[in-house]
Amino acid sequence: MIMMKINFITIFLFILFTFTNQSTTNVSVNELTNAIGVPPCMKKCMNSLIGNLYEIFTNDSIKNVSSTMCNEYNKFVNCTIKYHKICPYEKVYNIIFEGFYSFCHKRKIPHSPCLDEKVNTITDKCNKNCKLISQLDDIFQRRTVRLMATYSGNPILFVENLSEFCESLSCFFSCFKNNLKKECKKDGHEFLIHMVKPFYSLIDIVRKYPSIKHLIQKKIPKTCHFVFNRALLDMYSKY
């Protein structure tokens, strides 16, 4: 159960930080995975995929983004298969990258001229308004986090530093939804549904393992609790 809790926190952190790859940050992928205590064997396949997310998401066409992202995701899957015996973390991977699976294997790729034109602009606007990336950079200026980023960290220790980041994330979700709704109507709704899918998986894990609720209440800042609330996720992703 201890490993289950640690894996849960690792999944939670990776899902949170997926959204920061749409904007420039001073934190490298290796620093991020070190700080949150990702097992070394997971880095072999995961760091390459995450490292390419920034370039992928700054492409000016959502359709091209999806194609490039799926190529990278398929490389990642092949890598995990190759190293399965020494790194058996399929359940962790499946939850972290559920949105990728939905995009790439279910052939449900939400794109349209409106999304192609507006998503990057909306992302930049909401990041500026909510200071999401600057909050991540601020976390990595803290001495303890810098040490974990340089060597190796602990996800349960790291998560205690997320209070301000989660406030910004909540702001970002609200801003992103409202602007997509205004600019792209139904197409924006489909995009949001894919974006938040991994958080619904976290809720399913909590339902399956009730003891994790105590971990959330004790270790995860209250400002982050909205991602474990289905009604609030619906509010941020549906219209």
Side-chain angles (χ1 to χ4, degrees):
M1 182 54 68
I2 292 176
M3 282 306 301
M4 176 64 201
K5 290 181 178 180
I6 291 175
N7 284 341
F8 176 82
I9 294 294
T10 303
I11 292 168
F12 166 67
L13 291 170
F14 256 118
I15 292 172
L16 283 186
F17 295 140
T18 295
F19 298 99
T20 68
N21 285 283
Q22 298 187 43
S23 300
T24 302
T25 175
N26 294 322
V27 181
S28 72
V29 174
N30 195 56
E31 288 173 330
L32 175 60
T33 53
N34 277 350
I36 67 177
V38 173
C41 74
M42 290 177 70
K43 295 180 185 180
K44 187 183 296 290
C45 300
M46 193 175 287
N47 281 20
S48 176
L49 175 62
I50 297 172
N52 290 324
L53 285 181
Y54 171 71
E55 182 177 352
I56 290 170
F57 280 107
T58 52
N59 193 301
D60 61 355
S61 165
I62 294 299
K63 184 175 182 179
N64 290 340
V65 165
S66 300
S67 176
T68 306
M69 182 180 71
C70 290
N71 288 336
E72 293 295 330
Y73 175 71
N74 288 333
K75 292 178 186 177
F76 165 78
V77 171
N78 290 335
C79 181
T80 62
I81 292 172
K82 180 179 179 180
Y83 294 104
H84 163 75
K85 290 185 178 180
I86 61 173
C87 200
Y89 287 100
E90 287 89 349
K91 289 184 179 180
V92 176
Y93 294 140
N94 289 344
I95 295 169
I96 294 172
F97 299 113
E98 181 178 358
F100 286 67
Y101 178 82
S102 178
F103 269 54
C104 302
H105 290 274
K106 296 184 179 181
R107 304 299 179 186
K108 295 181 178 179
I109 301 175
H111 67 85
S112 70
C114 181
L115 289 173
D116 289 345
E117 180 183 357
K118 299 294 184 179
V119 164
N120 285 336
T121 302
I122 292 172
T123 298
D124 290 342
K125 175 182 178 180
C126 293
N127 179 50
K128 182 178 180 180
N129 290 347
C130 300
K131 298 179 173 60
L132 184 64
I133 300 302
S134 63
Q135 287 294 349
L136 179 61
D137 290 338
D138 287 348
I139 290 172
F140 278 80
Q141 293 303 310
R142 299 171 188 175
R143 183 175 182 276
T144 301
V145 176
R146 288 205 312 271
L147 288 172
M148 292 195 295
T150 302
Y151 302 103
S152 181
N154 181 303
I156 294 178
L157 291 178
F158 187 90
V159 78
E160 295 174 354
N161 290 274
L162 292 180
S163 182
E164 292 84 1
F165 177 85
C166 285
E167 286 183 6
S168 292
L169 184 66
S170 176
C171 169
F172 182 89
F173 274 166
S174 179
C175 175
F176 201 71
K177 172 193 170 178
N178 290 336
N179 280 275
L180 273 183
K181 180 179 180 180
K182 177 182 177 182
E183 299 288 350
C184 296
K185 307 296 189 294
K186 182 180 178 180
D187 294 330
H189 175 255
E190 293 296 323
F191 189 83
L192 283 169
I193 292 298
H194 283 276
M195 194 172 78
V196 301
K197 272 189 175 183
F199 289 109
Y200 286 102
S201 294
L202 288 179
I203 293 173
D204 291 338
I205 293 175
V206 175
R207 185 186 299 113
K208 186 175 181 180
Y209 300 97
S211 63
I212 291 178
K213 289 183 179 179
H214 178 69
L215 176 71
I216 294 171
Q217 293 169 353
K218 185 176 180 181
K219 292 294 185 180
I220 297 179
K222 290 183 179 180
T223 55
C224 302
H225 288 187
F226 74 93
V227 301
F228 304 106
N229 186 314
R230 187 176 295 273
L232 289 178
L233 284 182
D234 287 347
M235 183 183 73
Y236 283 127
S237 63
K238 298 179 181 180
Y239 56 80

PDB file of all heavy atoms in Angstrom, residues 11-42:
ATOM      1  N   ILE A  11       1.814   9.831 -10.156  1.00  0.00           N
ATOM      2  CA  ILE A  11       0.840  10.002 -11.237  1.00  0.00           C
ATOM      3  C   ILE A  11       0.205  11.388 -11.153  1.00  0.00           C
ATOM      4  O   ILE A  11       0.094  12.109 -12.152  1.00  0.00           O
ATOM      5  CB  ILE A  11      -0.254   8.915 -11.154  1.00  0.00           C
ATOM      6  CG1 ILE A  11       0.332   7.538 -11.464  1.00  0.00           C
ATOM      7  CG2 ILE A  11      -1.396   9.220 -12.122  1.00  0.00           C
ATOM      8  CD1 ILE A  11      -0.602   6.393 -11.128  1.00  0.00           C
ATOM      9  N   PHE A  12      -0.215  11.762  -9.958  1.00  0.00           N
ATOM     10  CA  PHE A  12      -0.852  13.060  -9.739  1.00  0.00           C
ATOM     11  C   PHE A  12       0.056  14.202 -10.203  1.00  0.00           C
ATOM     12  O   PHE A  12      -0.364  15.112 -10.920  1.00  0.00           O
ATOM     13  CB  PHE A  12      -1.186  13.197  -8.254  1.00  0.00           C
ATOM     14  CG  PHE A  12      -1.550  14.582  -7.808  1.00  0.00           C
ATOM     15  CD1 PHE A  12      -2.712  15.191  -8.252  1.00  0.00           C
ATOM     16  CD2 PHE A  12      -0.728  15.276  -6.935  1.00  0.00           C
ATOM     17  CE1 PHE A  12      -3.049  16.474  -7.831  1.00  0.00           C
ATOM     18  CE2 PHE A  12      -1.053  16.551  -6.507  1.00  0.00           C
ATOM     19  CZ  PHE A  12      -2.221  17.149  -6.961  1.00  0.00           C
ATOM     20  N   LEU A  13       1.337  14.124  -9.839  1.00  0.00           N
ATOM     21  CA  LEU A  13       2.277  15.182 -10.201  1.00  0.00           C
ATOM     22  C   LEU A  13       2.502  15.244 -11.704  1.00  0.00           C
ATOM     23  O   LEU A  13       2.528  16.329 -12.297  1.00  0.00           O
ATOM     24  CB  LEU A  13       3.606  14.969  -9.474  1.00  0.00           C
ATOM     25  CG  LEU A  13       3.574  15.197  -7.960  1.00  0.00           C
ATOM     26  CD1 LEU A  13       4.862  14.715  -7.316  1.00  0.00           C
ATOM     27  CD2 LEU A  13       3.346  16.666  -7.645  1.00  0.00           C
ATOM     28  N   PHE A  14       2.655  14.094 -12.330  1.00  0.00           N
ATOM     29  CA  PHE A  14       2.879  14.086 -13.773  1.00  0.00           C
ATOM     30  C   PHE A  14       1.686  14.668 -14.518  1.00  0.00           C
ATOM     31  O   PHE A  14       1.845  15.420 -15.486  1.00  0.00           O
ATOM     32  CB  PHE A  14       3.160  12.669 -14.272  1.00  0.00           C
ATOM     33  CG  PHE A  14       4.602  12.426 -14.563  1.00  0.00           C
ATOM     34  CD1 PHE A  14       5.304  11.465 -13.869  1.00  0.00           C
ATOM     35  CD2 PHE A  14       5.269  13.167 -15.523  1.00  0.00           C
ATOM     36  CE1 PHE A  14       6.645  11.240 -14.123  1.00  0.00           C
ATOM     37  CE2 PHE A  14       6.609  12.954 -15.786  1.00  0.00           C
ATOM     38  CZ  PHE A  14       7.300  11.986 -15.085  1.00  0.00           C
ATOM     39  N   ILE A  15       0.490  14.316 -14.082  1.00  0.00           N
ATOM     40  CA  ILE A  15      -0.699  14.846 -14.748  1.00  0.00           C
ATOM     41  C   ILE A  15      -0.766  16.363 -14.584  1.00  0.00           C
ATOM     42  O   ILE A  15      -1.059  17.095 -15.534  1.00  0.00           O
ATOM     43  CB  ILE A  15      -1.970  14.179 -14.195  1.00  0.00           C
ATOM     44  CG1 ILE A  15      -1.999  12.695 -14.594  1.00  0.00           C
ATOM     45  CG2 ILE A  15      -3.220  14.873 -14.722  1.00  0.00           C
ATOM     46  CD1 ILE A  15      -3.112  11.908 -13.938  1.00  0.00           C
ATOM     47  N   LEU A  16      -0.485  16.849 -13.387  1.00  0.00           N
ATOM     48  CA  LEU A  16      -0.478  18.298 -13.172  1.00  0.00           C
ATOM     49  C   LEU A  16       0.486  18.992 -14.114  1.00  0.00           C
ATOM     50  O   LEU A  16       0.158  19.990 -14.758  1.00  0.00           O
ATOM     51  CB  LEU A  16      -0.077  18.620 -11.728  1.00  0.00           C
ATOM     52  CG  LEU A  16      -1.089  18.432 -10.613  1.00  0.00           C
ATOM     53  CD1 LEU A  16      -0.503  18.960  -9.309  1.00  0.00           C
ATOM     54  CD2 LEU A  16      -2.398  19.140 -10.912  1.00  0.00           C
ATOM     55  N   PHE A  17       1.699  18.453 -14.215  1.00  0.00           N
ATOM     56  CA  PHE A  17       2.738  19.157 -14.949  1.00  0.00           C
ATOM     57  C   PHE A  17       2.651  18.957 -16.455  1.00  0.00           C
ATOM     58  O   PHE A  17       3.358  19.620 -17.210  1.00  0.00           O
ATOM     59  CB  PHE A  17       4.117  18.753 -14.426  1.00  0.00           C
ATOM     60  CG  PHE A  17       4.355  19.178 -13.007  1.00  0.00           C
ATOM     61  CD1 PHE A  17       5.001  18.347 -12.117  1.00  0.00           C
ATOM     62  CD2 PHE A  17       3.901  20.404 -12.558  1.00  0.00           C
ATOM     63  CE1 PHE A  17       5.213  18.739 -10.799  1.00  0.00           C
ATOM     64  CE2 PHE A  17       4.096  20.806 -11.249  1.00  0.00           C
ATOM     65  CZ  PHE A  17       4.756  19.974 -10.367  1.00  0.00           C
ATOM     66  N   THR A  18       1.785  18.049 -16.895  1.00  0.00           N
ATOM     67  CA  THR A  18       1.547  17.923 -18.333  1.00  0.00           C
ATOM     68  C   THR A  18       1.110  19.258 -18.919  1.00  0.00           C
ATOM     69  O   THR A  18       1.497  19.637 -20.020  1.00  0.00           O
ATOM     70  CB  THR A  18       0.465  16.862 -18.613  1.00  0.00           C
ATOM     71  OG1 THR A  18       0.939  15.587 -18.208  1.00  0.00           O
ATOM     72  CG2 THR A  18       0.135  16.805 -20.104  1.00  0.00           C
ATOM     73  N   PHE A  19       0.313  20.006 -18.157  1.00  0.00           N
ATOM     74  CA  PHE A  19      -0.235  21.257 -18.675  1.00  0.00           C
ATOM     75  C   PHE A  19       0.817  22.347 -18.805  1.00  0.00           C
ATOM     76  O   PHE A  19       0.646  23.286 -19.573  1.00  0.00           O
ATOM     77  CB  PHE A  19      -1.377  21.739 -17.770  1.00  0.00           C
ATOM     78  CG  PHE A  19      -2.515  20.773 -17.730  1.00  0.00           C
ATOM     79  CD1 PHE A  19      -2.643  19.878 -16.684  1.00  0.00           C
ATOM     80  CD2 PHE A  19      -3.432  20.717 -18.759  1.00  0.00           C
ATOM     81  CE1 PHE A  19      -3.675  18.961 -16.653  1.00  0.00           C
ATOM     82  CE2 PHE A  19      -4.471  19.799 -18.742  1.00  0.00           C
ATOM     83  CZ  PHE A  19      -4.586  18.920 -17.686  1.00  0.00           C
ATOM     84  N   THR A  20       1.911  22.240 -18.076  1.00  0.00           N
ATOM     85  CA  THR A  20       2.934  23.280 -18.154  1.00  0.00           C
ATOM     86  C   THR A  20       3.778  23.155 -19.408  1.00  0.00           C
ATOM     87  O   THR A  20       4.523  24.070 -19.737  1.00  0.00           O
ATOM     88  CB  THR A  20       3.866  23.228 -16.931  1.00  0.00           C
ATOM     89  OG1 THR A  20       4.656  22.029 -16.976  1.00  0.00           O
ATOM     90  CG2 THR A  20       3.072  23.267 -15.641  1.00  0.00           C
ATOM     91  N   ASN A  21       3.670  22.040 -20.118  1.00  0.00           N
ATOM     92  CA  ASN A  21       4.488  21.856 -21.308  1.00  0.00           C
ATOM     93  C   ASN A  21       3.987  22.661 -22.493  1.00  0.00           C
ATOM     94  O   ASN A  21       4.596  22.639 -23.555  1.00  0.00           O
ATOM     95  CB  ASN A  21       4.540  20.369 -21.680  1.00  0.00           C
ATOM     96  CG  ASN A  21       5.441  19.589 -20.752  1.00  0.00           C
ATOM     97  OD1 ASN A  21       6.643  19.641 -20.863  1.00  0.00           O
ATOM     98  ND2 ASN A  21       4.840  18.888 -19.803  1.00  0.00           N
ATOM     99  N   GLN A  22       2.875  23.364 -22.329  1.00  0.00           N
ATOM    100  CA  GLN A  22       2.382  24.198 -23.411  1.00  0.00           C
ATOM    101  C   GLN A  22       2.994  25.597 -23.369  1.00  0.00           C
ATOM    102  O   GLN A  22       2.701  26.425 -24.217  1.00  0.00           O
ATOM    103  CB  GLN A  22       0.853  24.288 -23.341  1.00  0.00           C
ATOM    104  CG  GLN A  22       0.188  22.933 -23.508  1.00  0.00           C
ATOM    105  CD  GLN A  22      -1.311  23.046 -23.606  1.00  0.00           C
ATOM    106  OE1 GLN A  22      -1.834  23.915 -24.279  1.00  0.00           O
ATOM    107  NE2 GLN A  22      -2.016  22.157 -22.943  1.00  0.00           N
ATOM    108  N   SER A  23       3.832  25.866 -22.402  1.00  0.00           N
ATOM    109  CA  SER A  23       4.473  27.173 -22.296  1.00  0.00           C
ATOM    110  C   SER A  23       5.914  26.988 -21.839  1.00  0.00           C
ATOM    111  O   SER A  23       6.290  25.943 -21.320  1.00  0.00           O
ATOM    112  CB  SER A  23       3.717  28.053 -21.295  1.00  0.00           C
ATOM    113  OG  SER A  23       2.381  28.239 -21.700  1.00  0.00           O
ATOM    114  N   THR A  24       6.708  28.025 -22.021  1.00  0.00           N
ATOM    115  CA  THR A  24       8.123  27.948 -21.678  1.00  0.00           C
ATOM    116  C   THR A  24       8.318  27.956 -20.171  1.00  0.00           C
ATOM    117  O   THR A  24       7.751  28.770 -19.459  1.00  0.00           O
ATOM    118  CB  THR A  24       8.881  29.138 -22.284  1.00  0.00           C
ATOM    119  OG1 THR A  24       8.694  29.122 -23.695  1.00  0.00           O
ATOM    120  CG2 THR A  24      10.363  29.037 -21.981  1.00  0.00           C
ATOM    121  N   THR A  25       9.146  27.034 -19.686  1.00  0.00           N
ATOM    122  CA  THR A  25       9.508  27.001 -18.280  1.00  0.00           C
ATOM    123  C   THR A  25      11.009  26.828 -18.167  1.00  0.00           C
ATOM    124  O   THR A  25      11.656  26.289 -19.069  1.00  0.00           O
ATOM    125  CB  THR A  25       8.786  25.853 -17.537  1.00  0.00           C
ATOM    126  OG1 THR A  25       9.263  25.793 -16.194  1.00  0.00           O
ATOM    127  CG2 THR A  25       9.013  24.522 -18.220  1.00  0.00           C
ATOM    128  N   ASN A  26      11.578  27.292 -17.054  1.00  0.00           N
ATOM    129  CA  ASN A  26      13.015  27.172 -16.842  1.00  0.00           C
ATOM    130  C   ASN A  26      13.405  25.825 -16.252  1.00  0.00           C
ATOM    131  O   ASN A  26      14.583  25.571 -16.010  1.00  0.00           O
ATOM    132  CB  ASN A  26      13.489  28.294 -15.906  1.00  0.00           C
ATOM    133  CG  ASN A  26      13.330  29.667 -16.537  1.00  0.00           C
ATOM    134  OD1 ASN A  26      13.546  29.829 -17.733  1.00  0.00           O
ATOM    135  ND2 ASN A  26      12.938  30.645 -15.732  1.00  0.00           N
ATOM    136  N   VAL A  27      12.426  24.964 -16.006  1.00  0.00           N
ATOM    137  CA  VAL A  27      12.673  23.667 -15.385  1.00  0.00           C
ATOM    138  C   VAL A  27      12.845  22.611 -16.470  1.00  0.00           C
ATOM    139  O   VAL A  27      11.983  22.452 -17.336  1.00  0.00           O
ATOM    140  CB  VAL A  27      11.513  23.274 -14.453  1.00  0.00           C
ATOM    141  CG1 VAL A  27      11.786  21.928 -13.800  1.00  0.00           C
ATOM    142  CG2 VAL A  27      11.295  24.354 -13.399  1.00  0.00           C
ATOM    143  N   SER A  28      13.956  21.882 -16.426  1.00  0.00           N
ATOM    144  CA  SER A  28      14.183  20.834 -17.419  1.00  0.00           C
ATOM    145  C   SER A  28      13.398  19.579 -17.056  1.00  0.00           C
ATOM    146  O   SER A  28      12.983  19.394 -15.904  1.00  0.00           O
ATOM    147  CB  SER A  28      15.670  20.497 -17.510  1.00  0.00           C
ATOM    148  OG  SER A  28      16.088  19.792 -16.354  1.00  0.00           O
ATOM    149  N   VAL A  29      13.210  18.715 -18.040  1.00  0.00           N
ATOM    150  CA  VAL A  29      12.501  17.460 -17.800  1.00  0.00           C
ATOM    151  C   VAL A  29      13.232  16.621 -16.760  1.00  0.00           C
ATOM    152  O   VAL A  29      12.617  16.033 -15.864  1.00  0.00           O
ATOM    153  CB  VAL A  29      12.349  16.661 -19.113  1.00  0.00           C
ATOM    154  CG1 VAL A  29      11.743  15.290 -18.832  1.00  0.00           C
ATOM    155  CG2 VAL A  29      11.492  17.426 -20.096  1.00  0.00           C
ATOM    156  N   ASN A  30      14.553  16.568 -16.857  1.00  0.00           N
ATOM    157  CA  ASN A  30      15.325  15.760 -15.914  1.00  0.00           C
ATOM    158  C   ASN A  30      15.197  16.296 -14.491  1.00  0.00           C
ATOM    159  O   ASN A  30      15.082  15.526 -13.529  1.00  0.00           O
ATOM    160  CB  ASN A  30      16.795  15.726 -16.328  1.00  0.00           C
ATOM    161  CG  ASN A  30      17.565  14.634 -15.618  1.00  0.00           C
ATOM    162  OD1 ASN A  30      17.200  13.461 -15.673  1.00  0.00           O
ATOM    163  ND2 ASN A  30      18.630  15.011 -14.926  1.00  0.00           N
ATOM    164  N   GLU A  31      15.201  17.621 -14.345  1.00  0.00           N
ATOM    165  CA  GLU A  31      15.020  18.219 -13.018  1.00  0.00           C
ATOM    166  C   GLU A  31      13.646  17.878 -12.456  1.00  0.00           C
ATOM    167  O   GLU A  31      13.503  17.566 -11.269  1.00  0.00           O
ATOM    168  CB  GLU A  31      15.191  19.734 -13.103  1.00  0.00           C
ATOM    169  CG  GLU A  31      16.623  20.185 -13.323  1.00  0.00           C
ATOM    170  CD  GLU A  31      16.723  21.676 -13.581  1.00  0.00           C
ATOM    171  OE1 GLU A  31      15.766  22.260 -14.132  1.00  0.00           O
ATOM    172  OE2 GLU A  31      17.775  22.253 -13.242  1.00  0.00           O
ATOM    173  N   LEU A  32      12.640  17.941 -13.314  1.00  0.00           N
ATOM    174  CA  LEU A  32      11.282  17.640 -12.873  1.00  0.00           C
ATOM    175  C   LEU A  32      11.152  16.191 -12.423  1.00  0.00           C
ATOM    176  O   LEU A  32      10.643  15.910 -11.332  1.00  0.00           O
ATOM    177  CB  LEU A  32      10.297  17.924 -14.008  1.00  0.00           C
ATOM    178  CG  LEU A  32       8.831  17.554 -13.756  1.00  0.00           C
ATOM    179  CD1 LEU A  32       8.280  18.314 -12.563  1.00  0.00           C
ATOM    180  CD2 LEU A  32       7.995  17.832 -14.997  1.00  0.00           C
ATOM    181  N   THR A  33      11.631  15.262 -13.248  1.00  0.00           N
ATOM    182  CA  THR A  33      11.484  13.849 -12.898  1.00  0.00           C
ATOM    183  C   THR A  33      12.351  13.475 -11.698  1.00  0.00           C
ATOM    184  O   THR A  33      11.971  12.616 -10.899  1.00  0.00           O
ATOM    185  CB  THR A  33      11.812  12.947 -14.103  1.00  0.00           C
ATOM    186  OG1 THR A  33      13.100  13.286 -14.631  1.00  0.00           O
ATOM    187  CG2 THR A  33      10.768  13.101 -15.196  1.00  0.00           C
ATOM    188  N   ASN A  34      13.508  14.116 -11.554  1.00  0.00           N
ATOM    189  CA  ASN A  34      14.326  13.899 -10.353  1.00  0.00           C
ATOM    190  C   ASN A  34      13.577  14.364  -9.108  1.00  0.00           C
ATOM    191  O   ASN A  34      13.498  13.650  -8.104  1.00  0.00           O
ATOM    192  CB  ASN A  34      15.645  14.671 -10.448  1.00  0.00           C
ATOM    193  CG  ASN A  34      16.704  13.937 -11.237  1.00  0.00           C
ATOM    194  OD1 ASN A  34      16.552  12.769 -11.568  1.00  0.00           O
ATOM    195  ND2 ASN A  34      17.783  14.632 -11.554  1.00  0.00           N
ATOM    196  N   ALA A  35      13.049  15.579  -9.169  1.00  0.00           N
ATOM    197  CA  ALA A  35      12.451  16.201  -7.991  1.00  0.00           C
ATOM    198  C   ALA A  35      11.251  15.427  -7.470  1.00  0.00           C
ATOM    199  O   ALA A  35      11.035  15.347  -6.257  1.00  0.00           O
ATOM    200  CB  ALA A  35      12.047  17.641  -8.302  1.00  0.00           C
ATOM    201  N   ILE A  36      10.463  14.857  -8.371  1.00  0.00           N
ATOM    202  CA  ILE A  36       9.266  14.149  -7.904  1.00  0.00           C
ATOM    203  C   ILE A  36       9.521  12.661  -7.688  1.00  0.00           C
ATOM    204  O   ILE A  36       8.598  11.901  -7.407  1.00  0.00           O
ATOM    205  CB  ILE A  36       8.067  14.356  -8.856  1.00  0.00           C
ATOM    206  CG1 ILE A  36       8.310  13.695 -10.214  1.00  0.00           C
ATOM    207  CG2 ILE A  36       7.768  15.830  -9.018  1.00  0.00           C
ATOM    208  CD1 ILE A  36       7.111  13.816 -11.144  1.00  0.00           C
ATOM    209  N   GLY A  37      10.794  12.256  -7.800  1.00  0.00           N
ATOM    210  CA  GLY A  37      11.163  10.902  -7.417  1.00  0.00           C
ATOM    211  C   GLY A  37      10.741   9.819  -8.384  1.00  0.00           C
ATOM    212  O   GLY A  37      10.412   8.707  -7.971  1.00  0.00           O
ATOM    213  N   VAL A  38      10.760  10.124  -9.673  1.00  0.00           N
ATOM    214  CA  VAL A  38      10.419   9.103 -10.664  1.00  0.00           C
ATOM    215  C   VAL A  38      11.490   8.014 -10.663  1.00  0.00           C
ATOM    216  O   VAL A  38      12.687   8.322 -10.695  1.00  0.00           O
ATOM    217  CB  VAL A  38      10.315   9.727 -12.071  1.00  0.00           C
ATOM    218  CG1 VAL A  38      10.123   8.649 -13.134  1.00  0.00           C
ATOM    219  CG2 VAL A  38       9.162  10.715 -12.118  1.00  0.00           C
ATOM    220  N   PRO A  39      11.106   6.737 -10.611  1.00  0.00           N
ATOM    221  CA  PRO A  39      12.104   5.659 -10.653  1.00  0.00           C
ATOM    222  C   PRO A  39      12.986   5.776 -11.890  1.00  0.00           C
ATOM    223  O   PRO A  39      12.487   6.089 -12.979  1.00  0.00           O
ATOM    224  CB  PRO A  39      11.237   4.388 -10.717  1.00  0.00           C
ATOM    225  CG  PRO A  39       9.940   4.783 -10.089  1.00  0.00           C
ATOM    226  CD  PRO A  39       9.731   6.216 -10.477  1.00  0.00           C
ATOM    227  N   PRO A  40      14.290   5.556 -11.754  1.00  0.00           N
ATOM    228  CA  PRO A  40      15.213   5.714 -12.890  1.00  0.00           C
ATOM    229  C   PRO A  40      14.796   4.950 -14.136  1.00  0.00           C
ATOM    230  O   PRO A  40      14.947   5.450 -15.251  1.00  0.00           O
ATOM    231  CB  PRO A  40      16.541   5.188 -12.332  1.00  0.00           C
ATOM    232  CG  PRO A  40      16.448   5.446 -10.865  1.00  0.00           C
ATOM    233  CD  PRO A  40      15.003   5.213 -10.513  1.00  0.00           C
ATOM    234  N   CYS A  41      14.252   3.750 -13.962  1.00  0.00           N
ATOM    235  CA  CYS A  41      13.896   2.965 -15.145  1.00  0.00           C
ATOM    236  C   CYS A  41      12.759   3.607 -15.926  1.00  0.00           C
ATOM    237  O   CYS A  41      12.653   3.434 -17.143  1.00  0.00           O
ATOM    238  CB  CYS A  41      13.531   1.529 -14.756  1.00  0.00           C
ATOM    239  SG  CYS A  41      11.921   1.326 -13.950  1.00  0.00           S
ATOM    240  N   MET A  42      11.889   4.376 -15.254  1.00  0.00           N
ATOM    241  CA  MET A  42      10.791   5.040 -15.947  1.00  0.00           C
ATOM    242  C   MET A  42      11.289   6.198 -16.803  1.00  0.00           C
ATOM    243  O   MET A  42      10.694   6.531 -17.827  1.00  0.00           O
ATOM    244  CB  MET A  42       9.757   5.549 -14.939  1.00  0.00           C
ATOM    245  CG  MET A  42       8.960   4.461 -14.250  1.00  0.00           C
ATOM    246  SD  MET A  42       7.809   5.118 -13.008  1.00  0.00           S
ATOM    247  CE  MET A  42       6.601   5.931 -14.044  1.00  0.00           C
TER     248      MET A  42
END
